[in-house]
mmCIF file of all heavy atoms in Angstrom:
data_model
loop_
_atom_site.group_PDB
_atom_site.id
_atom_site.type_symbol
_atom_site.label_atom_id
_atom_site.label_comp_id
_atom_site.label_asym_id
_atom_site.label_seq_id
_atom_site.Cartn_x
_atom_site.Cartn_y
_atom_site.Cartn_z
ATOM 1 N N THR A 166 -13.063 12.017 11.631
ATOM 2 C CA THR A 166 -13.004 11.218 10.376
ATOM 3 C C THR A 166 -14.292 11.412 9.571
ATOM 4 O O THR A 166 -15.315 11.792 10.128
ATOM 5 C CB THR A 166 -12.882 9.707 10.672
ATOM 6 O OG1 THR A 166 -14.048 9.218 11.388
ATOM 7 C CG2 THR A 166 -11.656 9.437 11.549
ATOM 8 N N ASP A 167 -14.178 11.165 8.265
ATOM 9 C CA ASP A 167 -15.335 11.385 7.383
ATOM 10 C C ASP A 167 -15.239 10.440 6.228
ATOM 11 O O ASP A 167 -14.157 10.003 5.832
ATOM 12 C CB ASP A 167 -15.403 12.821 6.939
ATOM 13 C CG ASP A 167 -16.856 13.229 6.675
ATOM 14 O OD1 ASP A 167 -17.748 12.334 6.596
ATOM 15 O OD2 ASP A 167 -17.122 14.422 6.593
ATOM 16 N N LYS A 168 -16.390 10.144 5.616
ATOM 17 C CA LYS A 168 -16.425 9.224 4.507
ATOM 18 C C LYS A 168 -15.940 9.909 3.229
ATOM 19 O O LYS A 168 -16.163 11.099 2.958
ATOM 20 C CB LYS A 168 -17.872 8.769 4.272
ATOM 21 C CG LYS A 168 -18.452 7.992 5.438
ATOM 22 C CD LYS A 168 -19.848 7.626 5.156
ATOM 23 C CE LYS A 168 -20.447 6.801 6.317
ATOM 24 N NZ LYS A 168 -21.859 6.446 6.098
ATOM 25 N N GLY A 169 -15.263 9.092 2.434
ATOM 26 C CA GLY A 169 -14.895 9.517 1.072
ATOM 27 C C GLY A 169 -15.904 9.066 0.106
ATOM 28 O O GLY A 169 -17.085 9.022 0.402
ATOM 29 N N ASP A 170 -15.460 8.642 -1.046
ATOM 30 C CA ASP A 170 -16.348 8.254 -2.152
ATOM 31 C C ASP A 170 -16.845 6.787 -2.062
ATOM 32 O O ASP A 170 -17.866 6.434 -2.503
ATOM 33 C CB ASP A 170 -15.697 8.429 -3.502
ATOM 34 C CG ASP A 170 -15.322 9.912 -3.773
ATOM 35 O OD1 ASP A 170 -16.233 10.772 -3.482
ATOM 36 O OD2 ASP A 170 -14.180 10.196 -4.164
ATOM 37 N N VAL A 171 -15.999 5.902 -1.439
ATOM 38 C CA VAL A 171 -16.334 4.495 -1.401
ATOM 39 C C VAL A 171 -16.126 3.915 -0.011
ATOM 40 O O VAL A 171 -15.311 3.048 0.202
ATOM 41 C CB VAL A 171 -15.507 3.716 -2.468
ATOM 42 C CG1 VAL A 171 -16.032 3.978 -3.890
ATOM 43 C CG2 VAL A 171 -14.012 3.984 -2.335
ATOM 44 N N PRO A 172 -16.853 4.364 0.983
ATOM 45 C CA PRO A 172 -16.641 3.972 2.340
ATOM 46 C C PRO A 172 -17.233 2.609 2.783
ATOM 47 O O PRO A 172 -16.882 2.050 3.768
ATOM 48 C CB PRO A 172 -17.262 5.063 3.144
ATOM 49 C CG PRO A 172 -18.436 5.492 2.327
ATOM 50 C CD PRO A 172 -17.919 5.362 0.912
ATOM 51 N N GLU A 173 -18.107 2.065 1.912
ATOM 52 C CA GLU A 173 -18.866 0.889 2.339
ATOM 53 C C GLU A 173 -17.924 -0.295 2.542
ATOM 54 O O GLU A 173 -17.106 -0.632 1.680
ATOM 55 C CB GLU A 173 -19.930 0.504 1.243
ATOM 56 C CG GLU A 173 -21.054 1.518 1.091
ATOM 57 C CD GLU A 173 -20.584 2.743 0.287
ATOM 58 O OE1 GLU A 173 -19.582 2.621 -0.514
ATOM 59 O OE2 GLU A 173 -21.202 3.792 0.398
ATOM 60 N N GLY A 174 -18.103 -0.988 3.687
ATOM 61 C CA GLY A 174 -17.287 -2.122 3.999
ATOM 62 C C GLY A 174 -15.973 -1.819 4.724
ATOM 63 O O GLY A 174 -15.211 -2.744 4.999
ATOM 64 N N TYR A 175 -15.731 -0.542 5.006
ATOM 65 C CA TYR A 175 -14.507 -0.101 5.696
ATOM 66 C C TYR A 175 -14.811 0.650 6.934
ATOM 67 O O TYR A 175 -15.852 1.297 7.062
ATOM 68 C CB TYR A 175 -13.663 0.737 4.747
ATOM 69 C CG TYR A 175 -13.332 0.137 3.441
ATOM 70 C CD1 TYR A 175 -14.093 0.381 2.321
ATOM 71 C CD2 TYR A 175 -12.222 -0.672 3.311
ATOM 72 C CE1 TYR A 175 -13.811 -0.202 1.094
ATOM 73 C CE2 TYR A 175 -11.871 -1.251 2.109
ATOM 74 C CZ TYR A 175 -12.700 -1.003 0.977
ATOM 75 O OH TYR A 175 -12.357 -1.571 -0.201
ATOM 76 N N LYS A 176 -13.898 0.633 7.875
ATOM 77 C CA LYS A 176 -13.911 1.490 9.048
ATOM 78 C C LYS A 176 -12.566 2.070 9.266
ATOM 79 O O LYS A 176 -11.548 1.484 8.829
ATOM 80 C CB LYS A 176 -14.358 0.693 10.298
ATOM 81 C CG LYS A 176 -15.845 0.376 10.409
ATOM 82 C CD LYS A 176 -16.119 -0.522 11.589
ATOM 83 C CE LYS A 176 -15.658 0.040 12.875
ATOM 84 N NZ LYS A 176 -16.046 -0.840 14.050
ATOM 85 N N VAL A 177 -12.506 3.199 9.966
ATOM 86 C CA VAL A 177 -11.256 3.775 10.301
ATOM 87 C C VAL A 177 -11.292 4.339 11.690
ATOM 88 O O VAL A 177 -12.392 4.476 12.278
ATOM 89 C CB VAL A 177 -10.847 4.967 9.385
ATOM 90 C CG1 VAL A 177 -10.528 4.471 7.956
ATOM 91 C CG2 VAL A 177 -11.892 6.027 9.306
ATOM 92 N N SER A 178 -10.176 4.632 12.238
ATOM 93 C CA SER A 178 -10.114 5.330 13.544
ATOM 94 C C SER A 178 -8.893 6.252 13.582
ATOM 95 O O SER A 178 -7.959 6.014 12.936
ATOM 96 C CB SER A 178 -10.035 4.289 14.688
ATOM 97 O OG SER A 178 -8.823 3.667 14.749
ATOM 98 N N ARG A 179 -9.005 7.284 14.361
ATOM 99 C CA ARG A 179 -7.866 8.205 14.495
ATOM 100 C C ARG A 179 -7.779 8.619 15.978
ATOM 101 O O ARG A 179 -8.148 9.693 16.363
ATOM 102 C CB ARG A 179 -8.117 9.463 13.583
ATOM 103 C CG ARG A 179 -6.897 10.392 13.527
ATOM 104 C CD ARG A 179 -6.014 10.069 12.406
ATOM 105 N NE ARG A 179 -4.827 10.892 12.303
ATOM 106 C CZ ARG A 179 -4.811 12.044 11.683
ATOM 107 N NH1 ARG A 179 -5.890 12.542 11.077
ATOM 108 N NH2 ARG A 179 -3.635 12.732 11.605
ATOM 109 N N LYS A 180 -7.233 7.726 16.730
ATOM 110 C CA LYS A 180 -7.069 7.886 18.154
ATOM 111 C C LYS A 180 -5.794 8.714 18.448
ATOM 112 O O LYS A 180 -5.671 9.349 19.519
ATOM 113 C CB LYS A 180 -7.053 6.618 18.903
ATOM 114 C CG LYS A 180 -8.401 5.875 18.884
ATOM 115 C CD LYS A 180 -8.373 4.616 19.677
ATOM 116 C CE LYS A 180 -9.759 4.027 19.884
ATOM 117 N NZ LYS A 180 -10.450 3.847 18.623
ATOM 118 N N GLU A 181 -4.818 8.597 17.581
ATOM 119 C CA GLU A 181 -3.553 9.335 17.712
ATOM 120 C C GLU A 181 -3.312 10.020 16.392
ATOM 121 O O GLU A 181 -3.711 9.584 15.346
ATOM 122 C CB GLU A 181 -2.404 8.436 18.030
ATOM 123 C CG GLU A 181 -2.589 7.491 19.146
ATOM 124 C CD GLU A 181 -1.559 6.381 19.043
ATOM 125 O OE1 GLU A 181 -1.734 5.449 18.245
ATOM 126 O OE2 GLU A 181 -0.568 6.428 19.785
#
Side-chain angles (χ1 to χ4, degrees):
Chain A
T166 63
D167 210 344
K168 295 178 180 179
D170 298 313
V171 288
E173 294 78 22
Y175 304 95
K176 285 175 57 177
V177 292
S178 70
R179 189 91 181 272
K180 291 183 169 53
E181 307 163 283

